[in-house]
Each structure stands twice: as structure tokens, then as C-alpha cells.
Amino acid sequence: VRLVVDDEGVLEPEEVRKMMDVWAAPDSCPPAALPPSWRSKVDPSSHLKSDISNLKCAESARNRAIIALLATTGLRQIEAWRADVEDLQTMEGTRVLIVQGKGEEDKNNFVVIGDEAWAYLREWLKARERVIGGRWQVEARGHLPSPTTHNPPPCPALFVTCGQRSYGRQMTRVALRWVLSESIRRAGLKDTGKRVSGHSLRHTFVTTYLQGGGNLLKAQEAARHADPATTQVYMDKLDRLKDPPEKAVSRAILKSS
């Protein structure tokens, strides 16, 4: 059973994986998946096609990493947007991301990154190095120059753009929100009857942990809820489903009929 908290649907693990799977590697994408401007403007020579494929690979790796990070840490979208590469650190042998939380002026909290999520982040970090280094840059008019044509200034942001007109720069909050909403749309989750959005990944994190027998205090700390009552809502709804009175009354009245 999955819950609805704050009117936002909670996703099944397989639904989260569907969101990630829609960002397939370019080799498995049909030509129509490329933006129309690229199909119409880019020289069809083999090396340019290869560069486009690399750009799409980087974008796909980034999007998978965003979804994996939000679903497994409970990060808010704004926290992911604020994250810099240098915020990826190690504490007592554990990988963490230093976080500037909601309403905070400083980065004074952290989330732990599991091994499975780190695999997706590592894939993106490798691709990010090449994007930042100008290896896969796209000129504004739609042509792909050689790697040495020009390089953008280094960007500290963890999640940067891989697009045609803006590359190697911090993603906008709108762009990050679009990645999540587009993942939901492509995965067909809009047709499930649940009210699903990017924020559903945060609800999924807390609910999945508590349904697995997790500690309420630890859930509050991980989700960085200022008010324990916010986290308690999740537990209350889970408890509500355990041996509900409706089922007892239904058995008492209708079982013999």
C-alpha cells in the first residue's frame, strides 16, 4: 500500500526505476528523440553525430542521477539545485552531500548517499567533467565545434546543463523541475490515477523507510523536518492501515452473509 501525503502520490520502487529508465542511452533512442533544432541544423557527418550522442549520454546520466539522488535521500528539489560538486564529501568513511536546507542561509546539514545511488552519481560526474571541459560543446547556431573552440568558465554546480545553447552552466530550477515532470510523463505515471510530481520522490523516501520498519526519529533527521509532527503524519497514516476498524466491522457484519 502506498500513501498520499500532502495530496502528493507516493511512488512504488518500480515506478521510480521507470522514471530513470526513460532516459535511455542515445544508441537505443530513435532519431526522432533528438530535438528538432538539432535534426535540422546539425551537419550529418559521422563525427558530429557521435558528439550529439555523447551530449545525449551526458544528459541522460545527469537525469538518472537527479532522480536517484532525490528518491534515495529525500532531497528537496531546491536542495539538489543548490548543490555543488564540492559538497560531495566523506564522513567517517560514508559518502554524504552537504545540504543547504529549506529556509537556511548556510549549508549546515547533510544526506547520506547509498552505494546504489552513488553509482549513478559517479556516472554523471564522469560525463560532467567532459561537459565542463568543453569536450561536447554546442554553438548557439546549432553546430558542434571541436573541443578546443572555446571553453565555458568552470561551474561549481553539481548539476549543469548539457543543451544546445547553454552548456556547462548551472541548471535552472525550472529545468530541474522539467526533468522530473518529463520523467513522470514518459514513464506513464500520469495515467495511474495518483497525483504525482517531482516532490513525490521525497514522500517516497520517507514512506519507503518507515514501511521497512525504520525509526521515526531517524526519518525526521534524514528528511530534515523541523517539526516532528510533519514526520509523524507519515507514521500515523501507516498505523491507520494496520488492522483498520473498517475491516473488523466488515467481518462482523458481512462475513456470515
Side-chain angles (χ1 to χ4, degrees), residues 53-158:
S53 178
N54 287 337
L55 277 168
K56 299 300 290 182
C57 273
E59 181 183 55
S60 295
R62 181 199 66 193
N63 296 348
R64 289 193 296 267
I66 289 172
I67 297 167
L69 187 63
L70 268 62
T72 61
T73 65
L75 274 182
R76 299 177 178 92
Q77 293 175 48
I78 191 171
E79 293 169 338
W81 174 72
R82 288 170 171 167
D84 292 334
V85 172
E86 66 179 15
D87 296 330
L88 291 168
Q89 298 182 18
T90 301
M91 292 184 180
E92 301 295 329
T94 300
R95 295 186 185 91
V96 300
L97 177 70
I98 307 301
V99 173
Q100 181 182 347
K102 182 180 179 181
E104 300 289 340
E105 295 183 1
D106 301 313
K107 294 183 177 180
N108 54 12
N109 213 323
F110 67 90
V111 294
V112 174
I113 303 173
D115 291 342
E116 295 80 6
W118 176 250
Y120 288 99
L121 270 174
R122 184 175 55 202
E123 178 188 7
W124 159 238
L125 289 172
K126 290 178 180 178
R128 182 188 178 281
E129 285 184 8
R130 300 184 68 179
V131 173
I132 291 294
R135 194 103 31 119
W136 305 330
Q137 297 175 12
V138 184
E139 292 179 329
R141 65 178 182 274
H143 296 296
L144 290 163
S146 66
T148 58
T149 300
H150 65 286
N151 291 298
C155 175
L158 176 57

Side-chain angles (χ1 to χ4, degrees), residues 245-257:
E246 294 93 336
K247 286 191 175 182
V249 173
S250 177
R251 288 192 298 268
I253 296 176
L254 302 175
K255 188 173 181 180
S256 59
S257 61

